[in-house]
């Protein structure tokens, strides 16, 4: 067994991206390597990937924008 | 329910063996034989945290693939050893025949145990793990060939929603399979079963997992779960066709099956 710390986040199994969608809107997600998250651009939320396992429960998602998307906030 | 499974996760497999006297392995084997997956099948195993169904699936398609390969080679009697060798090499990289299983569970602890088991037993390809809610699946429509939920559906708050989600993510022609504790109609057996469930199982839970209450919860949730016919009706309500069930051990456990047409 590996006793390594979580210095480097485990990557997501690439084949999963074929099936995975946002559980709320059922719309496609974008994998963001920098933060190791799955982003739903439309709703402005991001699902975390912990130990290589994507956490696709809505409660776990964080908002990626300060203001709601409808107000047209600018994000890089 | 979540905390019950956090406590239970690590000792899950041991408890299953003790509670069911190892018979749960047979039930899961029967489920796999009923499924009879061919290589290339895409399976979604929901509430399958510790990987029991997923590993059986991988073993099954691997052996089917092996047999197909052997049969193919038997037809090529005039091949040189070089050609046979090359043929084996080519198929070695495709030992699962593109079969895939996604394990989805709402409990991180169960998934962690499952992932560790997979590593320990040497399962790597064709297997992925997702933390998700059966009532709100993070999967696209019409994606999977088979959906299984083994000993998980009784822990879902809104079974109707889980069934609807199952229907949504299955491809047309896809199969729904549910393995779950059910109702024993024979009165004598029913009483013996009750005795065992309420007297023995929580004690086992205390002795093995140091947790009486979680196992008492498990036993009670089994009693409150809809019986065979009622579950069949719920599955039909979700849109499935050709819904039927098979009792195992006089109804202690039942396998319900339905198709999305």
């Amino acid at each position: 067994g590996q006793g390594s710390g979580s210095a480097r986040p485990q990557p997501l199994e690439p084949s999963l991206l074929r099936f995975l969608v946002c559980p709320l809107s059922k719309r496609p997600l974008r994998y963001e390597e920098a933060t190791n998250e799955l982003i739903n651009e439309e709703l402005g939320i991001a699902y975390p990937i912990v130990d290589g396992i994507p956490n696709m429960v809505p409660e776990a998602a964080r908002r990626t924008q300060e203001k709601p998307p409808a107000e047209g906030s600018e994000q890089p | 329910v979540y905390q019950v499974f956090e406590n239970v996760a690590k000792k899950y497999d041991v408890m299953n063996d003790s509670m069911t006297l190892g018979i749960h392995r047979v039930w899961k084997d029967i489920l796999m034989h009923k499924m009879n997956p061919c290589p290339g099948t895409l399976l979604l195993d929901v509430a399958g945290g510790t990987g029991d169904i997923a590993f059986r699936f991988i073993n099954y398609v691997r052996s089917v693939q092996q047999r197909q390969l052997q049969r193919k080679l038997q037809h090529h009697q005039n091949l040189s050893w070089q050609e046979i060798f090359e043929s084996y090499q080519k198929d070695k990289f495709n030992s699962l025949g593109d079969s895939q299983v996604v394990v989805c569970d709402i409990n991180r602890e169960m998934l962690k145990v499952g992932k560790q088991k997979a590593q320990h037993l040497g399962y790597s390809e064709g297997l992925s793990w997702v933390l998700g809610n059966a009532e709100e699946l993070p999967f696209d429509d019409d994606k999977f060939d088979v959906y299984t939920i083994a000993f998980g559906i009784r822990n879902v708050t809104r079974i109707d929603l889980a069934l609807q989600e199952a229907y949504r993510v299955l491809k047309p022609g896809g199969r729904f399979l549910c393995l779950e504790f059910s109702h024993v109609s024979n009165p004598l057996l029913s009483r013996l079963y009750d005795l065992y469930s309420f007297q023995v199982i929580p004690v086992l839970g205390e002795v093995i997992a140091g947790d009486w209450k979680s196992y008492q919860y498990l036993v009670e949730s089994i009693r409150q779960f809809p019986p065979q016919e009622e579950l069949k009706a719920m599955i039909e309500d979700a849109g499935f066709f050709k819904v039927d069930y098979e009792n195992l051990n006089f109804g202690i456990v039942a396998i319900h099956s339905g198709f999305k047409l």
Side-chain angles (χ1 to χ4, degrees):
Chain A
Q2 336 236 327
S4 58
S6 33
R8 232 177 336 143
Q10 279 186 44
L12 182 70
E13 179 81 41
S15 58
L16 264 183
L17 285 170
R18 279 196 282 148
F19 323 115
L20 235 44
V21 295
C22 171
L24 294 168
S25 65
K26 312 300 187 196
R27 307 279 286 137
L29 299 161
R30 180 175 64 81
Y31 174 57
E32 177 56 68
E33 202 173 330
T35 55
N36 206 32
E37 287 174 325
L38 290 161
I39 317 255
N40 180 336
E41 302 279 16
E42 291 173 336
L43 294 180
I45 53 178
Y47 296 92
I49 299 170
V50 182
D51 295 330
I53 299 176
N55 187 339
M56 307 307 298
V57 170
E59 293 77 44
R62 68 170 185 91
R63 301 196 82 92
T64 56
Q65 298 164 11
E66 295 303 323
K67 292 182 256 178
E71 290 180 4
S73 59
E74 275 169 323
Q75 279 288 312
Chain B
V1 178
Y2 191 91
Q3 274 161 335
V4 167
F5 275 92
E6 268 202 287
N7 296 335
V8 158
K10 295 198 173 67
K11 306 275 183 62
Y12 188 73
D13 294 329
V14 177
M15 268 307 291
N16 278 346
D17 273 332
S18 324
M19 280 198 302
T20 65
L21 308 172
I23 304 176
H24 73 104
R25 297 167 189 239
V26 176
W27 292 330
K28 287 166 184 163
D29 289 341
I30 294 175
L31 177 69
M32 199 47 52
H33 275 90
K34 197 175 171 91
M35 188 194 302
N36 192 22
C38 54
T41 297
L42 212 48
L43 168 66
L44 175 63
D45 181 34
V46 175
T50 57
D52 278 355
I53 301 297
F55 303 147
R56 280 173 171 75
F57 172 78
I58 292 174
N59 291 341
Y60 198 99
V61 294
R62 210 179 256 161
S63 68
V64 172
Q65 183 77 343
Q66 275 289 90
R67 259 180 287 139
Q68 281 180 357
L69 172 61
Q70 278 166 9
R71 243 180 275 147
K72 201 173 68 170
L73 288 175
Q74 272 167 12
H75 287 126
H76 293 109
Q77 291 298 328
N78 293 327
L79 287 182
S80 69
W81 283 115
Q82 180 66 21
E83 287 165 312
I84 295 174
F85 177 75
E86 275 164 5
S87 177
Y88 264 114
Q89 292 292 73
K90 184 163 52 87
D91 286 302
K92 196 172 70 159
F93 294 113
N94 200 18
S95 66
L96 287 183
D98 296 323
S99 316
Q100 247 188 302
V101 49
V102 178
V103 179
C104 180
D105 200 301
I106 199 166
N107 188 297
R108 174 175 299 287
E109 299 304 314
M110 297 287 278
L111 287 170
K112 268 167 69 176
V113 170
K115 232 182 159 201
Q116 279 165 17
K117 264 170 71 176
Q119 230 172 359
H120 186 65
L121 296 169
Y123 293 102
S124 53
E125 49 165 331
L127 177 61
S128 1
W129 311 85
V130 175
L131 205 155
N133 186 343
E135 297 174 12
E136 208 168 21
L137 289 175
F139 303 109
D140 207 358
D141 301 1
D142 306 320
K143 279 279 175 285
F144 295 95
D145 296 306
V146 186
Y147 172 112
T148 50
I149 184 163
F151 302 115
I153 203 165
R154 73 176 185 279
N155 300 307
V156 171
T157 321
R158 293 282 307 271
I159 297 176
D160 56 335
L161 290 182
L163 293 173
Q164 281 170 34
E165 281 290 87
Y167 189 86
R168 181 181 65 77
V169 302
L170 276 171
K171 287 184 199 167
R175 187 175 198 180
F176 169 87
L177 283 166
C178 169
L179 172 66
E180 188 54 81
F181 289 108
S182 198
H183 285 242
V184 177
S185 41
N186 179 306
L188 172 63
L189 283 172
S190 180
R191 284 189 59 194
L192 285 172
Y193 182 43
D194 281 349
L195 212 75
Y196 182 74
S197 299
F198 287 102
Q199 307 297 335
V200 177
I201 288 179
V203 176
L204 282 176
E206 184 58 41
V207 166
I208 295 175
D211 189 352
W212 173 289
K213 286 177 86 170
S214 299
Y215 287 94
Q216 186 163 49
Y217 164 80
L218 284 174
V219 172
E220 281 166 4
S221 70
I222 292 172
R223 287 300 174 288
Q224 284 168 24
F225 188 70
Q228 286 85 332
E229 281 294 323
E230 202 180 311
L231 183 59
K232 176 179 172 201
M234 291 172 80
I235 297 170
E236 281 166 344
D237 284 344
F240 289 101
F241 287 95
K242 265 212 76 165
V243 181
D244 61 16
Y245 58 85
E246 184 187 334
N247 277 336
L248 304 178
N249 293 116
F250 301 101
I252 292 179
V253 151
I255 298 178
H256 279 74
S257 164
F259 289 89
K260 173 174 179 172
L261 297 179

